[in-house]
């Protein structure tokens, strides 16, 4: 079931609503309590995602801790995004897809050269987007860790086989993330054209941030 | 009982040997063309490993690329450890554990140790890595998802994790350095090891002058990706 992009959101509470073009980087601080919705407008688009404590960038998303503490390699509603310091950066509070990847990492010029051919190293890649975004916060390559790939389908079998296969998201698929602290979110709207992660055709996404209503006052 | 750490090795080839006690960390620069053997002397609870380009540590092990490029989370003989720059840090040229490598589980930390073992002065992986890296002018920002040796973590159909005990006394792994590699290990129990008893045991590290790769070396020629990865790597040394 695919939701419409703003389903369930009070328009009065929207503080940010933009479309991010295919292949582009994005960054924004989502304040504690606010919810970020990522909308896969065209379907089957990988959204590479990193998150940092906005008050201390040395605290950042940890894929292994997240996998270990929830006992599962896939992310979906209820998954907490743990930091390297044991904190919870964000929680997935809504998901119309069912599972998202955090094992496959981000494409880079260099890994593209190994995976797809040495001539592919001049293509645009997620690491390039991440570096461009991180540089605005004084961060760089040392601050890159394994990321989340929203809407990307990376099954792992019991014999250990891992592969990137056709996506399971449709046009309009959404994932909602509540910030549990002031969270610097960095996104690369993946430019990969050589495997099925984007259906060989990168497409735009929509990013909506809203503030939920304050708890009802006590009578 | 001491298990021979240099099983099958010509003593004349060994350039460094050391026993790392349970709970300790260890680091060293391993030159291109030499091989690091890590021997699980008593069959302990795991060893965690990170590695970097010793000549430029901004280049480091990349777990995601390592599993993605080789289409699998289990490593073994013939597989390699990729850096985040499309190059090869280490080739796995020998091992006796039946593929006891974990690429997903990550590192123990003070909280995970307290949860598993109760209050106590446990040495954990993350704290060890931070101290070890500090001595090379690296630190918290340089910690990426690590590799775990002598442990295996399988993924079930629903994405759940299963720890598979694989440690055995005398098991070893040979890692051939394909560039000059700074390697850091924490000899601490795997974070998912089911034992509630903290029992890290010593490992032996042996560095030896391994023969140059043969023309058909399986790590270098096993698949087109490997060929390209080594083309990138060898370019550092021309």
């Amino acid at each position: 079931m695919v939701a419409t992009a703003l389903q369930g959101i009070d328009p009065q509470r929207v503080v940010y609503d933009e479309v991010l073009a295919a292949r582009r980087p994005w960054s924004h601080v989502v304040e504690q309590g606010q919810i970020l919705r990522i909308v896969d407008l065209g379907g089957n688009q990988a959204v590479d995602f990193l998150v940092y404590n906005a008050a201390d960038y040395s605290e950042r998303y940890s894929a292994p801790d997240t996998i270990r503490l929830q006992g599962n390699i896939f992310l979906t509603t209820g998954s907490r995004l743990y930091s390297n310091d044991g904190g919870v950066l964000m929680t997935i509070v809504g998901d119309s897809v069912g599972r998202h990847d955090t094992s496959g990492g981000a494409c880079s010029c260099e890994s593209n050269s190994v995976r797809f051919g040495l001539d592919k190293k001049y293509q645009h890649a997620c690491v390039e987007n991440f570096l461009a975004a991180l540089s605005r916060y004084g961060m760089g390559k040392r601050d890159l860790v394994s990321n989340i790939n929203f809407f990307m389908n990376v099954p792992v079998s019991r014999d250990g086989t891992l592969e990137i296969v056709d996506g399971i998201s449709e046009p309009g698929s959404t994932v909602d993330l509540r910030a549990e602290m002031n969270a610097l979110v960095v996104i690369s709207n993946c430019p990969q054209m050589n495997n099925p992660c984007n259906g060989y055709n990168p497409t735009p996404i929509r990013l909506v941030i809203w503030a939920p209503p304050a708890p009802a006052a006590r009578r | 009982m001491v298990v021979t750490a240099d099983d099958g090795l010509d003593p004349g080839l060994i350039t460094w040997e050391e026993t790392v006690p349970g709970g300790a960390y260890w680091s060293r620069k391993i030159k291109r063309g030499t091989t690091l053997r890590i021997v699980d002397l008593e069959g302990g609870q795991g060893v965690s490993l990170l590695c970097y380009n010793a000549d430029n540590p901004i280049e480091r092990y990349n777990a995601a690329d390592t599993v993605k490029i080789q289409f699998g989370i289990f490593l073994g003989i013939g597989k390699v450890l990729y850096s985040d720059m499309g190059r090869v840090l280490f080739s796995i040229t020998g091992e006796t554990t039946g593929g006891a490598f974990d690429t997903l589980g990550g590192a123990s930390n003070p909280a995970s140790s307290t949860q598993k073992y109760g209050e106590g002065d446990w040495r954990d992986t993350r704290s060890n890595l931070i101290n070890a890296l500090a001595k090379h002018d690296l630190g918290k920002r340089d910690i990426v998802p690590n590799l775990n040796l002598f442990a295996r973590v399988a993924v079930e159909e629903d994405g759940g994790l299963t720890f598979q005990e694989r440690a055995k006394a005398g098991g070893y792994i040979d890692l051939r350095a394909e560039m000059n590699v700074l390697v850091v290990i924490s000899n601490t129990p795997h974070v998912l090891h089911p034992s509630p008893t903290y029992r890290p045991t010593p490992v032996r590290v042996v560095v030896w002058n391994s023969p140059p790769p043969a023309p058909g070396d399986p790590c270098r020629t096993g698949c087109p990706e490997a060929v390209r990865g080594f083309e990138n790597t060898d370019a550092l040394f021309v």
Side-chain angles (χ1 to χ4, degrees):
Chain A
M1 174 63 191
V2 171
T4 56
L6 293 179
Q7 190 174 52
I9 303 176
D10 176 356
Q12 301 291 318
R13 299 202 163 271
V14 171
V15 297
Y16 183 97
D17 184 358
E18 298 286 342
V19 170
L20 178 65
R23 304 159 49 91
R24 297 294 301 162
W26 181 87
S27 63
H28 200 89
V29 174
V30 184
E31 293 176 14
Q32 185 177 27
Q34 291 181 341
I35 299 173
L36 165 67
R37 174 169 293 178
I38 306 172
V39 186
D40 184 2
L41 293 174
N44 201 4
Q45 169 64 23
V47 177
D48 289 47
F49 180 101
L50 280 172
V51 53
Y52 302 77
N53 176 350
D56 174 6
Y57 301 145
S58 78
E59 179 173 18
R60 70 269 313 260
Y61 177 65
S62 170
D65 286 300
T66 299
I67 288 172
R68 173 174 60 82
L69 286 164
Q70 67 171 1
N72 198 289
I73 63 164
F74 298 124
L75 306 179
T76 187
T77 305
S79 297
R80 295 170 169 181
L81 311 187
Y82 283 94
S83 78
N84 55 347
D85 288 341
V88 180
L89 293 153
M90 301 185 99
T91 303
I92 300 179
V93 294
D95 171 22
S96 74
V97 176
R99 68 181 208 198
H100 305 268
D101 166 69
T102 192
S103 310
C107 62
S108 68
C109 295
E110 294 77 14
S111 69
N112 283 345
S113 80
V114 177
R115 296 166 72 198
F116 307 115
L118 295 177
D119 59 318
K120 301 293 192 290
K121 79 171 174 179
Y122 298 104
Q123 291 180 349
H124 193 38
C126 282
V127 165
E128 307 296 302
N129 277 342
F130 280 149
L131 292 175
L134 290 175
S135 68
R136 293 159 50 192
Y137 303 90
M139 288 192 275
K141 188 167 172 300
R142 291 174 72 195
D143 302 290
L144 287 177
V145 286
S146 281
N147 57 288
I148 297 169
N149 296 302
F150 285 114
F151 309 118
M152 197 160 112
N153 190 11
V154 185
V156 178
S157 67
R158 203 158 194 285
D159 71 3
T161 307
L162 171 150
E163 52 189 340
I164 295 167
V165 298
D166 271 340
I168 49 177
S169 66
E170 306 168 56
S173 291
T174 61
V175 61
D176 290 348
L177 296 133
R178 183 178 65 220
E180 306 295 356
M181 60 178 80
N182 291 340
L184 170 63
V185 172
V186 180
I187 283 175
S188 166
N189 195 15
C190 183
Q192 181 62 258
M193 301 177 292
N194 298 291
N195 73 32
C197 74
N198 295 330
Y200 303 95
N201 176 33
T203 48
I205 58 173
R206 185 168 173 183
L207 298 160
V208 185
I209 301 172
W210 75 97
R218 288 184 184 171
R219 290 168 185 263
Chain B
M1 182 195 68
V2 176
V3 177
T4 3
D6 51 0
D7 177 35
L9 290 184
D10 175 353
L13 297 177
I14 294 173
T15 57
W16 186 264
E17 261 194 288
E18 190 174 349
T19 296
V20 182
Y25 62 82
W26 178 84
S27 71
R28 191 174 179 84
K29 290 181 181 172
I30 313 290
K31 279 189 198 154
R32 172 168 153 104
T34 63
T35 294
L36 169 65
R37 173 170 294 185
I38 303 175
V39 188
D40 189 4
L41 292 175
E42 298 174 17
Q45 296 178 340
V47 171
S48 300
L49 181 147
L50 278 177
C51 49
Y52 303 79
N53 177 346
D55 301 325
N56 181 18
I58 193 85
E59 176 174 9
R60 66 269 320 262
Y61 172 66
N62 187 295
D65 282 353
T66 296
V67 302
K68 181 168 61 183
I69 292 172
Q70 300 180 105
F71 301 104
I73 61 167
F74 296 144
L75 306 179
I77 294 173
K79 298 287 180 85
V80 302
L81 275 54
Y82 279 99
S83 79
D84 57 4
M85 293 293 284
R87 293 189 277 247
V88 178
L89 289 149
F90 277 128
S91 289
I92 302 169
T93 54
E95 68 105 0
T96 64
T97 68
F101 294 85
D102 162 43
T103 50
L104 295 176
S108 64
N109 57 44
S112 72
S113 295
T114 303
Q115 187 185 19
K116 197 189 312 189
Y117 310 117
E119 292 296 332
D121 191 18
W122 320 115
R123 302 282 296 274
D124 68 90
T125 304
R126 186 171 166 77
S127 304
N128 270 351
L129 291 176
I130 286 177
N131 284 352
L133 289 173
K135 296 174 183 180
H136 298 276
D137 205 17
L138 302 170
K140 188 177 171 186
R141 290 170 68 201
D142 303 290
I143 295 180
V144 287
N146 60 285
L147 180 66
N148 292 308
L149 308 178
F150 309 121
R152 201 169 140 107
V153 176
V155 175
E156 306 299 330
E157 201 168 330
D158 65 355
L161 305 175
T162 307
F163 184 88
Q164 300 177 335
E165 179 71 65
R166 285 292 179 97
K168 60 178 183 191
Y172 69 80
I173 286 162
D174 277 341
L175 298 163
R176 184 178 68 206
E178 304 293 355
M179 61 175 78
N180 299 322
V181 179
L182 169 64
V183 61
V184 179
I185 65 174
S186 171
N187 186 14
T188 36
H190 188 283
V191 64
L192 292 172
H193 194 289
S195 170
T197 307
Y198 182 82
R199 194 186 66 84
T201 55
V203 297
R204 187 86 172 155
V205 289
V206 185
V207 182
W208 54 288
N209 285 319
S210 46
D217 182 86
C219 294
R220 291 182 155 251
T221 61
C223 58
E225 290 87 353
V227 171
R228 291 191 288 265
F230 277 99
E231 200 162 331
N232 286 344
T233 309
D234 293 344
L236 281 177
F237 297 92
V238 296

